[in-house]
Amino acid sequence: MDYQLLPFRFERFNDTEYLLTNEVGEYIFLQNEDFHRFVDGEMDVHSDLFYDIESKQIATTDKVEDVVSMLATKFRTKKSILRDFTSLHMVVPTLRCNSSCIYCQVARKNRDDHSADMTKQTA
């Protein structure tokens, strides 16, 4: 049985493996020989490895239009946050802080340094 390649990206990950990704961020690592067999159309479609590749919609033995439709649904779901683009706003009125939270991306300023405060006009 033949298979159809679907849109995917690949890059050599190291000396022995390739990383393959699809448009929705699913990925799989293939050994060099498996990668070449895959892209040359020589992979056994009944192998566990091919089932893994097919489950990530990187190749298919099914009707391509159906699989592309499923990928489109996954893509829309993943990007749905863009539909409500302004649903999150962050206001940083000052950079003065005496905490060192590991998740904070703000460059901390001394509590006495008012140069990093938002002006009333800007607010």
Side-chain angles (χ1 to χ4, degrees), residues 24 66-79:
V24 295
D66 294 339
V67 180
V68 169
S69 178
M70 183 171 27
L71 267 174
T73 299
K74 286 183 176 183
F75 190 81
R76 278 191 306 275
T77 301
K78 183 174 182 170
K79 301 297 183 178

Side-chain angles (χ1 to χ4, degrees), residues 86-104:
T86 58
S87 63
L88 174 66
H89 294 283
M90 293 180 70
V91 178
V92 182
T94 183
L95 297 179
R96 292 183 289 133
C97 181
N98 62 351
S99 297
S100 294
C101 302
I102 60 171
Y103 56 82
C104 186

Side-chain angles (χ1 to χ4, degrees), residues 13-30:
F13 187 72
N14 57 35
D15 289 342
T16 62
E17 294 177 302
Y18 281 87
L19 169 65
L20 284 68
T21 62
N22 67 12
E23 293 298 319
V24 295
E26 296 169 323
Y27 65 93
I28 189 167
F29 289 93
L30 296 182

Side-chain angles (χ1 to χ4, degrees), residues 36-68:
H36 290 290
R37 195 170 358 157
F38 170 65
V39 296
D40 290 341
E42 299 170 356
M43 185 169 276
D44 177 6
V45 296
H46 300 292
S47 69
D48 288 341
L49 183 56
F50 184 80
Y51 289 141
D52 288 344
I53 292 169
E54 192 170 33
S55 75
K56 294 173 183 359
Q57 288 84 41
I58 294 174
T60 187
T61 57
D62 296 331
K63 188 176 172 188
V64 172
E65 292 80 9
D66 294 339
V67 180
V68 169

